[in-house]
C-alpha cells in the first residue's frame, strides 16, 4: 500500500507539471482588432488615455476637497482616555499646623510634616463635542474649494480637447502613411515589371546594359523609400495606439479615409468664422484661475474676522490605591461642561496687512494676464487662419502637381516601352513623380492638421 500511494503522488505531480508547462508554452491570445472611425478613436481615448485618467482623478480629488472643507464646519467629536500608575506616589511637605495650634503639647513635633494628595492608580475618560459657529476663513475657504472644483472640471475639459486633437493628428498621419504606401506599392509593381521587360529587351539586343541598370537602380531606390515609409507608418501606428490608450496586444483598423476628411475641409467657412476670445477654452480656464486668485484675496482679509465656536464635554475619572476599576466599591466621578470660545484678532504687527496686500497685487496681475492672453489669442487666430489658408493652397497645388506628374510618368513609360522615349527621360519623370507624391502626402497632412489647430482656436465653450 505504501508503494501504491507513492506511485499515485508521483504521477499526479508529473501531470500537474506538464499542464503548467503547456499553459506557459501557450502563446498570448491576440485580441480581435478594434475598428475605429476618428470619432470612435476619440471616444475611446476619453476613457483610456493616460493623461485623461489622471485629469479625471484630479476632478475626483477636488470633489473630495470640497467635502473635506465642508466637514470642518460640521460637529466634531473627539474622545480621550488616560491611565496613570504612580510607581512612587508624589509627596508634598506642609507646615505642622498642630504644633502651631498647640505649641506646648506638640513642642517636640517637627515643624513640617509630609503629606500625599495622590493615590496610586488613576483613570480618566472624556468625550467632547465642538461646533464651529462663525469663521470667515471657513466660509471663504469653502467657496474657494468649490471654485477649485470648477477649475479642475474646466482643466479636464481642456485636456479632453487636447487629446481629441492629438488623436485626430495621429489618425491623419497614419492614413497619410497608408496612402503613401499604397501608391508606392502600386508603383513598385510597375517598376519591377519594367525591370523584367528591360532585361528581356537587353537579351534581345534592343537596349543597352546601362538602361537595365538604370531601371534596376530605380527599383532599388523605390524599395528603400518604401521601407522608410513603412517604418514611418509603424511609428505613426504606435503613436496613435499610445494616444488612444490601447494595450500592446490590441490592434486597430481605421475605417475612415483621407477622402472623407478632405471633403469636410471648407476653407471659406473657417476663414470667415468669427472669433470670440471670451469663449475660447484657454481663456475660460484662465478665468477660473483668476477667480481662485480673487478668492485667495478674500481669504486673506478674513484674518481680521473673529472666530466663534461652542463645545460640550463629558468626562469621568476614578482614583484608588488598589486595582479595582471594575468594582462597584469605588465610584467614578463624572464631569459635564459646555461653553463658547471667541477668538478676536487684535494686533499682528502688520502681518495680516502685508498678506492682504500681496493677495491684492496678485489680483491686479490677473488683469494684466487676461489682457495678454486676449491679445495673444487674437494673434494666434490670425496666424492660424493664414497658415490654414496657405496649407489649403499648397494642398490644391500639390494635388494638381501629383496628378500631372502621374500622367506624365505614365505616358513616358508607355513611350519608353514603344521605344519613343529614352531611359534618361523615364528616369527624370520617375524622380519627378516620386517627389510630387511625397509633397502631395505632406500637403494632405498639413491642411488637415492646420484645420484641427484653427478649429480648436475658434471653437466656443
Amino acid at each position: 500500500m505504501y508503494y501504491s500511494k507513492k506511485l499515485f503522488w508521483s504521477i499526479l505531480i508529473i501531470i500537474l507539471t506538464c499542464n503548467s508547462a503547456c499553459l506557459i508554452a501557450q502563446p498570448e491570445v491576440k485580441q480581435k482588432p478594434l475598428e475605429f472611425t476618428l470619432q470612435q478613436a476619440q471616444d475611446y481615448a476619453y476613457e483610456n488615455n493616460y493623461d485623461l485618467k489622471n485629469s479625471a482623478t484630479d476632478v475626483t480629488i477636488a470633489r473630495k476637497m470640497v467635502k473635506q472643507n465642508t466637514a470642518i464646519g460640521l460637529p466634531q467629536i473627539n474622545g480621550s482616555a488616560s491611565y496613570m500608575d504612580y510607581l512612587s506616589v508624589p509627596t508634598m511637605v506642609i507646615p505642622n499646623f498642630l504644633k502651631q495650634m498647640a505649641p506646648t503639647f506638640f513642642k517636640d513635633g517637627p515643624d513640617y510634616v509630609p503629606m500625599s494628595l495622590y493615590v496610586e492608580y488613576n483613570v480618566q475618560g472624556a468625550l467632547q463635542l465642538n461646533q464651529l459657529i462663525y469663521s470667515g476663513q471657513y466660509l471663504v475657504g469653502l467657496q474657494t474649494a468649490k471654485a477649485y472644483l470648477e477649475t479642475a472640471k474646466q482643466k479636464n475639459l481642456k485636456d479632453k480637447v487636447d487629446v481629441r486633437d492629438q488623436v485626430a493628428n495621429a489618425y491623419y498621419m497614419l492614413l497619410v502613411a497608408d496612402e503613401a504606401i499604397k501608391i508606392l506599392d502600386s508603383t513598385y509593381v510597375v517598376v519591377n515589371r519594367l525591370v523584367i521587360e528591360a532585361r528581356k529587351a537587353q537579351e534581345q539586343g534592343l537596349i543597352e546594359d546601362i538602361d537595365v541598370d538604370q531601371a534596376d537602380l530605380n527599383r532599388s531606390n523605390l524599395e528603400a523609400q518604401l521601407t522608410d515609409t513603412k517604418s514611418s507608418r509603424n511609428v505613426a501606428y504606435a503613436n496613435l495606439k499610445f494616444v488612444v490608450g490601447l494595450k500592446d496586444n490590441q490592434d486597430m483598423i481605421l475605417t475612415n479615409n483621407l477622402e472623407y476628411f478632405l471633403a469636410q475641409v471648407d476653407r471659406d467657412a473657417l476663414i470667415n468664422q468669427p472669433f470670440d476670445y471670451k469663449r475660447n477654452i484657454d481663456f475660460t480656464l484662465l478665468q477660473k484661475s483668476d477667480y481662485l486668485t480673487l478668492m485667495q484675496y478674500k481669504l486673506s482679509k478674513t484674518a481680521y474676522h473673529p472666530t466663534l465656536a461652542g463645545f460640550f464635554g463629558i468626562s469621568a475619572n476614578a482614583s484608588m490605591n488598589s486595582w479595582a476599576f471594575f468594582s462597584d466599591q469605588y465610584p467614578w466621578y463624572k464631569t459635564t461642561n459646555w461653553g463658547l470660545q471667541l477668538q478676536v484678532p487684535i494686533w499682528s504687527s502688520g502681518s495680516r496687512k502685508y498678506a492682504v496686500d500681496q493677495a491684492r497685487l496678485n489680483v491686479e496681475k490677473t488683469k494684466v494676464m487676461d489682457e495678454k492672453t486676449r491679445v495673444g489669442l487674437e494673434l494666434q487666430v490670425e496666424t492660424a487662419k493664414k497658415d490654414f489658408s496657405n496649407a489649403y493652397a499648397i494642398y490644391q497645388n500639390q494635388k494638381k502637381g501629383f496628378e500631372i506628374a502621374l500622367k506624365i510618368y505614365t505616358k513616358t513609360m508607355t513611350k519608353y516601352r514603344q521605344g519613343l522615349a529614352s531611359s534618361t527621360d523615364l528616369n527624370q519623370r520617375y524622380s519627378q513623380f516620386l517627389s510630387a507624391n511625397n509633397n502631395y502626402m505632406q500637403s494632405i497632412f498639413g491642411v488637415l492638421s492646420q484645420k484641427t489647430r484653427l478649429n480648436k482656436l475658434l471653437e466656443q465653450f
Side-chain angles (χ1 to χ4, degrees), residues 4-250:
S4 298
K5 287 184 177 180
K6 183 176 181 181
L7 179 60
F8 169 76
W9 286 111
S10 299
I11 294 174
L12 181 60
I13 291 173
I14 293 174
I15 292 174
L16 292 176
T17 303
C18 291
N19 286 339
S20 300
C22 291
L23 291 174
I24 295 174
Q26 288 180 353
E28 184 179 2
V29 179
K30 198 75 170 179
Q31 299 185 29
K32 183 180 179 180
L34 297 176
E35 296 184 356
F36 283 144
T37 63
L38 175 58
Q39 183 61 55
Q40 290 171 338
Q42 291 168 338
D43 292 339
Y44 190 91
Y46 292 153
E47 301 294 332
N48 298 278
N49 179 268
Y50 301 108
D51 294 331
L52 284 185
K53 285 182 178 180
N54 283 339
S55 182
T57 302
D58 289 337
V59 175
T60 304
I61 291 173
R63 288 195 178 99
K64 301 294 184 182
M65 183 179 297
V66 172
K67 293 181 179 180
Q68 177 191 7
N69 282 271
T70 303
I72 295 175
L74 301 179
Q76 311 287 318
I77 299 177
N78 296 301
S80 63
S82 65
Y83 167 76
M84 183 176 293
D85 185 345
Y86 287 110
L87 299 178
S88 297
V89 179
T91 302
M92 59 185 301
V93 178
I94 63 174
N96 190 342
F97 296 105
L98 296 177
K99 186 175 181 180
Q100 295 177 1
M101 295 173 59
T104 303
F105 186 77
F106 294 101
K107 63 179 180 179
D108 295 330
D111 294 332
Y112 295 91
V113 294
M115 181 179 180
S116 177
L117 300 178
Y118 300 90
V119 293
E120 184 174 357
Y121 305 108
N122 300 270
V123 172
Q124 182 180 29
L127 285 175
Q128 180 161 317
L129 168 67
N130 296 287
Q131 174 61 57
L132 185 64
I133 299 175
Y134 173 79
S135 171
Q137 289 187 339
Y138 168 71
L139 296 176
V140 178
L142 186 58
Q143 295 175 3
T144 303
K146 293 179 179 179
Y148 178 76
L149 173 59
E150 294 302 316
T151 302
K153 290 180 180 179
Q154 189 71 14
K155 176 64 166 57
N156 178 249
L157 176 60
K158 183 181 183 302
D159 292 339
K160 285 185 176 180
V161 172
D162 291 340
V163 169
R164 179 199 66 187
D165 292 346
Q166 290 175 17
V167 172
N169 285 330
Y171 200 99
Y172 299 151
M173 179 64 74
L174 184 56
L175 286 180
V176 168
D178 286 338
E179 184 66 19
I181 291 174
K182 185 189 303 182
I183 294 174
L184 292 176
D185 276 335
S186 61
T187 305
Y188 182 80
V189 173
V190 175
V191 172
N192 187 60
R193 187 185 306 119
L194 185 63
V195 172
I196 296 175
E197 294 174 355
R199 290 188 188 278
K200 292 180 179 179
Q202 188 268 333
E203 291 174 357
Q204 297 175 3
L206 300 177
I207 61 175
E208 299 180 1
D209 294 345
I210 190 172
D211 294 325
V212 178
D213 294 338
Q214 183 64 61
D216 198 15
L217 178 61
N218 290 342
R219 183 178 62 178
S220 298
N221 292 336
L222 184 58
E223 287 177 349
Q225 187 170 352
L226 190 56
T227 300
D228 182 67
T229 305
K230 288 181 177 180
S231 178
S232 299
R233 192 266 179 195
N234 292 336
V235 174
Y237 181 79
N239 181 55
L240 180 56
K241 283 185 62 176
F242 174 77
V243 176
V244 169
L246 281 177
K247 304 300 181 183
D248 292 337
N249 62 338
Q250 184 69 68

Side-chain angles (χ1 to χ4, degrees), residues 285-336:
L285 181 60
L286 180 62
Q287 291 292 294
K288 298 291 185 182
S289 178
D290 291 349
Y291 185 71
L292 275 178
T293 304
L294 178 62
M295 295 308 298
Q296 290 295 326
Y297 172 55
K298 291 184 177 180
L299 185 62
S300 66
K301 293 197 295 184
T302 60
Y304 292 98
H305 295 185
T307 301
L308 179 63
F311 62 88
F312 174 82
I314 182 171
S315 63
N317 63 81
S319 300
M320 55 199 70
N321 286 318
S322 62
W323 183 271
F325 291 106
F326 300 102
S327 173
D328 296 336
Q329 181 180 357
Y330 297 96
W332 284 73
Y333 301 97
K334 298 179 181 179
T335 301
T336 306

Side-chain angles (χ1 to χ4, degrees), residues 329-389:
Q329 181 180 357
Y330 297 96
W332 284 73
Y333 301 97
K334 298 179 181 179
T335 301
T336 306
N337 59 67
W338 75 275
L340 298 173
Q341 185 178 21
L342 178 66
Q343 292 183 345
V344 181
I346 298 176
W347 180 251
S348 66
S349 297
S351 175
R352 287 187 289 268
K353 175 184 179 300
Y354 297 135
V356 172
D357 289 344
Q358 292 178 62
R360 187 186 69 255
L361 291 173
N362 283 328
V363 173
E364 294 297 325
K365 285 175 61 179
T366 62
K367 298 177 181 178
V368 177
M369 183 57 66
D370 288 350
E371 180 64 14
K372 175 185 177 182
T373 303
R374 180 190 67 80
V375 175
L377 286 173
E378 291 177 346
L379 179 60
Q380 286 184 48
V381 170
E382 183 180 354
T383 303
K385 285 186 176 182
K386 290 181 179 179
D387 291 343
F388 169 70
S389 182

